[in-house]
Amino acid sequence: MLAALTLAGGLPAAAHDHSGRRDHDDARLAVQRGEIRPLAELLTIVRDKLPGEITGVEIERHHGEWLYEFIVVDKRGRLFEVHVDPQSGAIRDTKEK
């Protein structure tokens, strides 16, 4: 189940884990505890690294570890899924869809 979050810049976002449990509240608490950066900060960091337009964002938890997923469309119209470290803003991997 996905839950929409309100973000700076008007981007749609969702928070979920792979058990299907809604966990946007957990993501908000993780930001408050300093475990992950707020999405607005990561957008500032990541926009300079990604060639193209960010069209969607999700925050996921895999085995208890948070991960941001950005959906990016490049200038040639190709769609990419980009996984970003929620603390550093480092790009972990990129997959063309």
Side-chain angles (χ1 to χ4, degrees):
M1 184 179 295
L2 296 179
L5 298 177
T6 303
L7 304 173
L11 290 174
H16 62 91
D17 64 18
H18 289 278
S19 69
R21 185 175 63 88
R22 291 175 58 161
D23 87 347
H24 61 280
D25 290 332
D26 289 344
R28 186 174 39 252
L29 290 173
V31 169
Q32 290 173 352
R33 289 189 301 262
E35 295 171 10
I36 60 176
R37 287 184 181 208
L39 180 56
E41 285 181 24
L42 286 174
L43 282 170
T44 300
I45 293 168
V46 171
R47 279 192 173 122
D48 292 335
K49 297 178 183 179
L50 298 177
E53 182 178 343
I54 298 170
T55 60
V57 180
E58 290 183 358
I59 185 165
E60 304 173 333
R61 234 179 358 182
H62 297 275
H63 308 289
E65 183 179 324
W66 290 102
L67 185 68
Y68 277 103
E69 177 183 288
F70 290 81
I71 304 301
V72 179
V73 178
D74 74 3
K75 291 179 183 178
R76 294 175 42 197
R78 296 179 301 174
L79 184 67
F80 293 90
E81 183 177 285
V82 182
H83 293 113
V84 176
D85 182 275
Q87 273 296 321
S88 68
I91 295 173
R92 290 191 179 174
D93 66 31
T94 302
K95 298 177 195 172
E96 187 171 357
K97 296 307 239 168

